Amino acid sequence: ANTFQNMSSKAGAIARVRKKEVVKVIHSALLRTNIKSQMASAAPPLGPQLGQRGVNVANFCKEFNKETGHIKPGVPLPTRIQVKPDRSYDLEICSPTSSWLLKQAAGIRRGKQNADEIAGILSVKHIYEIALVKSKDKALIGVPLQKICRDLVKQCFTLGIKVQNEDLDPEELGKFLEERKQVVADQLQAFADKKAAKMLRTV
Amino acid sequence: SFQMLTICRIGGKSLSAVARRSLAAPAAKVVATKEDKSFVETDAAKIASHVCINFYIQGEEPGPAIKEDTAYPGWLFEMDLEKTPILEDIDQGSWKYWRALRQRQIEQNRRIEKLKTRFLHLQNSPSMKK
């Protein structure tokens, strides 16, 4: 009964706010995206997202590419762009996406495609080092390393990376990566076949 | 069709966002040129001995080294590495079982609430699309 009442009051509040939408409130818009380092461009999806908020796209791309000049090109970086009413912006570039870091550490390009598939193997020590990198983010100041490690482990579940307490064994890891290469090649082949079949069907 | 399959798999997101993503992902895999620029470590020995996450141009290649067990805090080896078990796998009758059962009932109630008539405008149903 409690949940029903909470839900209805929330829904009622939402309904009431929607009717008052005529009054336009000016918020400074926060844009959260992942932009590849040194590869910011005016092309979609970034160009329209910036343009709609009134940011000078060319200037932004130049500034972003300059700021990420010390980072290898092509690394996805989560960025938070706070656009102010006078069209200037605050740019906050965070450490690379955890999924990219985890995949790099495990030596894989693709995560798992179905449940119960193991895409890679890591040890808790890898997780610790990655957590050290992530902890330098502004958003993760004051967050205990334990929590960051736990969150990375949870992300490993979704990526399909198995985390083990022991150190990684190079021979077994080499064997696993070889098998995995074959599995990934099969998956990509299946995708390409489906796409080709679809093309033929429409023709 | 293939596009529909990907949309069904990635549930709970807006259709336009999913459509854009499903179109981008297969194309990037089929076209090989973009893959070559990104570098992923393939040497198993390096992966096992170092954390190959160095993303700076002038950083220590290939990244921080893996140290002895003693260099890491104790809680690191006592982390829970198992997925959160679903209700069916939890020990029947324990506190966690009853807690998980109650959480499942709450989720079910939430799903039923969303199906009420006053949320008709939020239904993601084929008959509602133009």
Side-chain angles (χ1 to χ4, degrees), chain A residues 66-125:
Chain A
K66 204 170 61 144
E67 298 227 353
T68 55
H70 62 296
I71 300 178
K72 286 184 190 158
V75 176
L77 303 167
T79 56
R80 307 286 177 258
I81 307 162
Q82 180 75 311
V83 185
K84 294 191 276 248
D86 63 351
R87 297 213 167 176
S88 64
Y89 56 87
D90 286 330
L91 176 59
E92 186 196 327
I93 306 177
C94 317
S95 47
T97 49
S98 356
S99 69
W100 184 87
L101 287 169
L102 288 167
K103 285 196 250 192
Q104 282 280 303
I108 57 178
R109 281 191 206 274
R110 269 167 86 84
K112 67 173 188 188
Q113 298 297 298
N114 20 271
D116 299 333
E117 190 182 322
I118 299 181
I121 317 178
L122 281 179
S123 87
V124 286
K125 295 182 181 174

Side-chain angles (χ1 to χ4, degrees), chain B residues 48-86:
Chain B
S49 61
H50 295 258
V51 191
C52 313
I53 53 170
N54 177 45
F55 52 93
Y56 294 112
I57 296 180
Q58 280 158 351
E60 26 166 83
E61 287 287 333
I66 300 277
K67 305 184 262 277
E68 295 294 312
D69 284 7
T70 47
Y72 295 100
W75 53 258
L76 186 65
F77 303 98
E78 282 144 27
M79 274 202 303
D80 182 21
L81 300 174
E82 305 297 317
K83 293 197 192 182
T84 19
I86 52 173

